[in-house]
Amino acid sequence: MNGRDVPKAPQQKITVTGRIPDAGLDLLRSIDGSEVWAWMDDTVIPTRVRNEQLADADAAVTLLTDLVDDDFLAAAPKLQIVANVAVGYNNIDVAACARRGVIVTNTPGVLIDATADLAMGLVLMSTRRLGEGERLIRSGTAWQWSMFMMLGTGLQGRTLGIVGMGGIGEALATRAKAFGLRIVYHNRRNVDAAVEQRLDAQRVDFDELLATSDIVSLNCPYSEATHHLVNAAALAAMKPTAFLVNTARGPIVDETALVEALANSAIAGAALDVFENEPTVHPGLLGLDNVVLVPHLGSATVETRTAMATTAASNVVEILAGRTPLNSVSG
């Protein structure tokens, strides 16, 4: 964006409810006449402070840790936009925003590669027992190489089942194909025929995906329809040699059922980047060696988080200039 594109928006306040990369703040501050207030700590902003800063805010830049509900909106009577620095927006009551004429935006596209990279990494960590191996070394436990030590599962010729073949799912499939995995997917509709052909991917129903996949990767959005999509019945339908990977949203998986399945070897293992009651992790998961646990790192690269912040800021720029935002999820 050059100087001539910067809108004239006098006396407009932007409240940023969490710490974001400087590039995003710089873009917001470049709006002539704007006042930018930002919570600069990595902890969740106290409700009292948040409400004080929302009282005269025209725009709010939020993180996935913010619950944007009626209470949030009631504190912000002037609000025009909630720009969520995430691709998911299950933390936002979109209908409540719509009732108040508040536009909701997200940051799709920019985190596809980073999340797909992490998902592929989790596939490798779980199937090759890398987390378990690292814990062994760090514990100081004596060990010696042997032919049968920590045998894992190879990927070549195995089947990866992708639940949700959007941008991240497609990017994961591209990576997985290079490792020799066969691709099946479950989606509301077929992906483009050219994509199917390039990936040699086959669309199947959910039950078939569970029954035939050696690795099940969750890459679908979270909604009422996908809440506990992977429950006790779904886990029982998987192969006992199969692995579950979740880089989507935690509540897609019933963690209590997952703990039981892992403890009883109903499935071979799991790898989770997201959790049902994040940041709390089900205590039953913590003592299991056959699960990899990482703290919501899907988009955690410098490049991706910067792009997310600037995308959210650009949405604010457009709204405050009276233009259409880049990434509206509410019309």
Side-chain angles (χ1 to χ4, degrees):
M1 175 176 293
N2 59 47
R4 289 173 297 180
D5 295 325
V6 176
K8 304 295 183 182
Q11 304 304 311
Q12 296 181 104
K13 181 177 177 181
I14 304 160
T15 295
V16 183
T17 60
R19 187 178 170 211
I20 65 172
D22 288 343
L25 292 174
D26 290 343
L27 181 52
L28 294 172
R29 290 167 178 150
S30 74
I31 303 172
D32 282 357
S34 68
E35 175 194 350
V36 178
W37 183 91
W39 178 252
M40 297 301 290
D41 199 293
D42 285 325
T43 60
V44 175
I45 184 173
T47 301
R48 176 187 59 78
V49 176
R50 182 201 71 185
N51 289 351
E52 287 175 356
Q53 297 302 328
L54 286 173
D56 56 349
D58 298 278
V61 177
T62 58
L63 305 184
L64 57 82
T65 49
D66 293 303
L67 177 61
V68 181
D69 56 6
D70 281 314
D71 289 341
F72 182 105
L73 296 166
K78 293 178 58 184
L79 204 61
Q80 300 178 48
I81 177 176
V82 172
N84 210 37
V85 188
V87 64
Y89 46 91
N90 55 290
N91 59 308
I92 299 175
D93 187 336
V94 176
C97 290
R99 288 194 297 270
R100 291 171 168 81
V102 178
I103 296 292
V104 177
T105 65
N106 66 341
T107 61
V110 297
L111 45 67
I112 287 175
D113 284 326
T115 306
D117 285 347
L118 183 81
M120 195 66 226
L122 292 179
V123 168
L124 291 166
M125 285 189 72
S126 56
T127 58
R128 293 299 303 275
R129 301 173 66 175
L130 301 183
E132 187 179 348
E134 198 211 21
R135 287 193 296 276
L136 174 69
I137 295 293
R138 288 186 180 276
S139 71
T141 301
W143 65 279
Q144 181 175 325
W145 183 92
S146 70
M147 184 68 73
F148 299 97
M149 182 181 181
M150 286 193 179
L151 294 182
T153 299
L155 300 183
Q156 294 75 20
R158 307 282 181 175
T159 298
L160 171 65
I162 296 176
V163 182
M165 193 69 152
I168 296 170
E170 182 183 332
L172 172 59
T174 300
R175 289 154 173 77
K177 191 172 187 297
F179 279 84
L181 283 156
R182 170 178 173 260
I183 309 299
V184 298
Y185 71 95
H186 175 67
N187 222 36
R188 288 177 294 179
R189 60 184 67 87
N190 285 77
V191 299
D192 185 85
V195 173
E196 277 195 346
Q197 184 175 12
R198 174 173 61 83
L199 297 172
D200 193 21
Q202 179 186 2
R203 183 184 175 213
V204 298
D205 64 32
F206 186 55
D207 290 341
E208 183 176 350
L209 183 145
L210 292 174
T212 60
S213 296
D214 298 293
I215 303 151
V216 174
S217 177
L218 303 178
N219 303 99
C220 53
Y222 174 68
S223 66
E224 288 184 11
T226 59
H227 180 78
H228 283 187
L229 178 68
V230 177
N231 53 22
L235 291 161
M238 292 172 63
K239 296 179 180 182
T241 54
F243 297 83
L244 176 71
V245 175
N246 187 10
T247 57
R249 284 291 184 265
I252 297 173
V253 176
D254 180 342
E255 284 185 3
T256 298
L258 178 61
V259 168
E260 184 174 351
L262 291 168
N264 296 327
S265 299
I267 64 172
L272 308 176
D273 181 46
V274 288
F275 302 93
E276 188 170 0
N277 297 299
E278 195 170 305
T280 300
V281 178
H282 193 297
L285 291 169
L286 298 175
L288 295 171
D289 267 333
N290 57 345
V291 60
V292 176
L293 307 170
V294 295
H296 206 140
L297 300 178
S299 63
T301 69
V302 171
E303 298 85 357
T304 299
R305 293 282 170 86
T306 299
M308 291 168 67
T310 55
T311 298
S314 294
N315 282 318
V316 171
V317 168
E318 296 304 307
I319 286 293
L320 295 187
R323 298 191 291 259
T324 301
L326 308 175
N327 308 110
S328 174
V329 299
S330 56

